[in-house]
Amino acid sequence: MSEKVVLHYFNGRGKMESIRWLLAAAGVEFEEVIMTKREHYEKLVNDGALMFQQVPLVEIDGMQLVQSRAILNYIAGKYNLYGKDLKERALIDMYSEGTSDLMDLFMSAPFTPPENKQKSLDNIEQKAKERFLPVFEKGLANSHFLVGNQLSRADVHLLEASLMLQELFPTILSTFPKIQAFQEKMKASPRISKFLQPGSARKPPPDEAYVKVVKEVLSHIFK
């Protein structure tokens, strides 16, 4: 296997985007193999590369890693983005699972039937304001980081999720000043700043073309 980190996924955000963010925050360069046809997926399955017949797939350190959480945990542990001890890791996991729950709402939205789109957006906005953002605002009350005194995967995931929220609801952070200040500090990091520049590996919000490709490649799911 290649020594380089290689990502196998669609040309869009989905479950791979948090992995791209974490690698970027760690300063790790990676290559991408973009899946555009059903045959790409079938070859990975037939080659035994997908343990549970699911993407994302990340080739790293001679391994073929699948399952998003396992991939993120490995990257965070390898690149010192997982706290200084088990107690910090538990807190980081709790915050990370929270942002994951929030971002799962985003991921399902593009596949929602048109007649239910507004209801889906209203649900995301309400849950973000009432359930998720207050927790992160409180977590940042006395520190620039959610856990401990150094950058962790929890911070990277929060930046990703909060920026995604602002794409849909531009004023949603108006009553969360700690998160706003956190964003500015995070965006000033050279590695994060580079990832936010045009032409980086960061993917744009999903559009109809992305949804079409995903449905074609994973046609067994969208029957």
Side-chain angles (χ1 to χ4, degrees), residues 145-169:
F145 304 109
L146 283 170
V147 179
N149 58 5
Q150 65 182 33
L151 182 71
S152 76
R153 59 174 290 201
D155 301 307
V156 180
H157 298 329
L158 175 56
L159 179 61
E160 177 192 0
S162 61
L163 290 174
M164 288 169 66
L165 275 172
Q166 286 179 302
E167 288 173 344
L168 290 175
F169 316 107

Side-chain angles (χ1 to χ4, degrees), residues 167-208:
E167 288 173 344
L168 290 175
F169 316 107
T171 63
I172 195 166
L173 297 182
S174 60
T175 56
F176 300 97
K178 295 291 186 183
I179 298 177
Q180 292 181 60
F182 163 84
Q183 278 190 336
E184 294 310 307
K185 184 173 178 59
M186 287 286 288
K187 287 191 284 188
S189 160
R191 290 172 177 174
I192 296 294
S193 176
K194 180 181 178 182
F195 190 65
L196 291 172
Q197 297 304 311
S200 78
R202 187 187 183 208
K203 304 303 181 189
D207 56 16
E208 290 183 7

Side-chain angles (χ1 to χ4, degrees), residues 16-219:
M16 187 65 89
E17 190 70 355
S18 291
I19 296 167
R20 296 185 187 105
W21 266 94
L22 204 57
L23 287 168
V28 179
E29 294 188 3
F30 54 85
E31 298 177 355
E32 297 200 56
V33 178
I34 302 299
M35 298 171 59
T36 58
K37 299 183 182 300
R38 174 76 180 172
E39 292 75 36
H40 295 165
Y41 167 77
E42 290 175 341
K43 185 177 189 309
L44 290 174
V45 172
N46 293 333
D47 288 347
L50 304 180
M51 183 182 287
F52 297 105
Q53 301 183 18
Q54 294 173 310
V55 288
L57 164 67
V58 175
E59 295 182 50
I60 183 171
D61 294 340
M63 299 184 293
Q64 293 178 319
L65 295 184
V66 295
Q67 300 300 111
S68 303
R69 290 174 187 168
I71 296 167
L72 291 165
N73 289 348
Y74 183 82
I75 294 168
K78 179 179 173 71
Y79 295 106
N80 195 30
L81 294 167
Y82 220 164
K84 71 178 190 300
D85 56 31
L86 278 174
K87 287 186 177 180
E88 285 197 358
R89 178 174 289 201
L91 287 170
I92 290 167
D93 282 341
M94 288 195 291
Y95 281 123
S96 298
E97 291 295 312
T99 50
S100 177
D101 288 347
L102 176 57
M103 287 192 283
D104 281 347
L105 299 175
F106 285 104
M107 281 179 231
S108 62
F111 299 90
T112 303
E115 62 272 19
N116 295 330
K117 274 276 169 67
Q118 190 57 50
K119 183 179 179 181
S120 174
L121 290 174
D122 291 344
N123 180 50
I124 293 172
E125 184 176 22
Q126 179 183 359
K127 285 184 176 177
K129 284 182 175 180
E130 296 178 3
R131 182 186 300 179
F132 295 103
L133 292 177
V135 173
F136 298 120
E137 184 76 6
K138 182 179 179 181
L140 293 167
N142 300 306
S143 175
H144 295 303
F145 304 109
L146 283 170
V147 179
N149 58 5
Q150 65 182 33
L151 182 71
S152 76
R153 59 174 290 201
D155 301 307
V156 180
H157 298 329
L158 175 56
L159 179 61
E160 177 192 0
S162 61
L163 290 174
M164 288 169 66
L165 275 172
Q166 286 179 302
E167 288 173 344
L168 290 175
F169 316 107
T171 63
I172 195 166
L173 297 182
S174 60
T175 56
F176 300 97
K178 295 291 186 183
I179 298 177
Q180 292 181 60
F182 163 84
Q183 278 190 336
E184 294 310 307
K185 184 173 178 59
M186 287 286 288
K187 287 191 284 188
S189 160
R191 290 172 177 174
I192 296 294
S193 176
K194 180 181 178 182
F195 190 65
L196 291 172
Q197 297 304 311
S200 78
R202 187 187 183 208
K203 304 303 181 189
D207 56 16
E208 290 183 7
Y210 167 77
V211 171
K212 183 173 183 287
V213 170
V214 172
K215 286 184 173 181
E216 288 176 355
V217 174
L218 302 180
S219 56

